[in-house]
Amino acid sequence: MDQPSDPMSRVRAIDDQVAHVWMVRTFLKHADEAEEDEDLRDVVRNLYDFILAVGPVAEVEDPAVYLKMAKKKLGRLRKATELYEVIQPEVSGHTNFAMAARSLRLAVDRIISLVTG
């Protein structure tokens, strides 16, 4: 996949993927399984931490600041994704949970590429 060349285009591309992370987070947060699983609640919190840290793209005044914050929070996003992939079969084998893991992985891989590339 091509990398956007200018910083603001990278920010917008990351924000596109953050929309997917948001939907996965919302699904997991409202799942009954989240009430019973501390690891799942940690995943939800860490996804939200990344989303909150980068903030809405409409408020970006300096793309360098956004990209720096995204890079700073990337480790937590990676760990949350990895943890969810590990616990997902135990949390629920339902297709919705499996597809959430897949969707999260695809979005996070793209975010990693955009932040580090």
Side-chain angles (χ1 to χ4, degrees):
M1 189 172 281
D2 291 336
Q3 291 287 58
S5 57
D6 69 284
M8 196 60 200
S9 293
R10 286 176 56 206
V11 167
R12 286 188 196 98
I14 292 168
D15 189 65
D16 288 347
Q17 299 308 311
V18 168
H20 296 285
V21 174
W22 179 269
M23 293 308 297
V24 170
R25 176 210 165 259
T26 300
F27 166 70
L28 297 175
K29 179 182 178 194
H30 294 289
D32 292 339
E33 290 79 354
E35 294 175 20
E36 305 162 8
D37 194 302
E38 183 61 34
D39 285 339
L40 188 56
R41 288 192 302 271
D42 283 345
V43 168
V44 169
R45 278 190 293 270
N46 285 317
L47 296 178
Y48 187 70
D49 180 67
F50 181 86
I51 294 164
L52 186 63
V54 295
V57 73
E59 295 177 9
V60 174
E61 294 177 13
D62 183 352
V65 172
Y66 180 102
L67 293 168
K68 183 177 180 180
M69 181 57 73
K71 188 172 187 175
K72 177 181 175 184
K73 294 292 185 172
L74 202 53
R76 290 185 87 175
L77 183 63
R78 276 185 174 141
K79 288 179 185 174
T81 303
E82 291 165 2
L83 176 58
Y84 183 60
E85 289 173 325
V86 168
I87 67 171
Q88 179 268 307
E90 298 167 16
V91 169
S92 176
H94 192 281
T95 303
N96 290 345
F97 287 87
M99 293 304 281
R102 184 173 174 205
S103 181
L104 183 59
R105 171 51 63 197
L106 290 168
V108 170
D109 284 352
R110 181 69 176 134
I111 290 170
I112 290 167
S113 172
L114 289 160
V115 170
T116 61

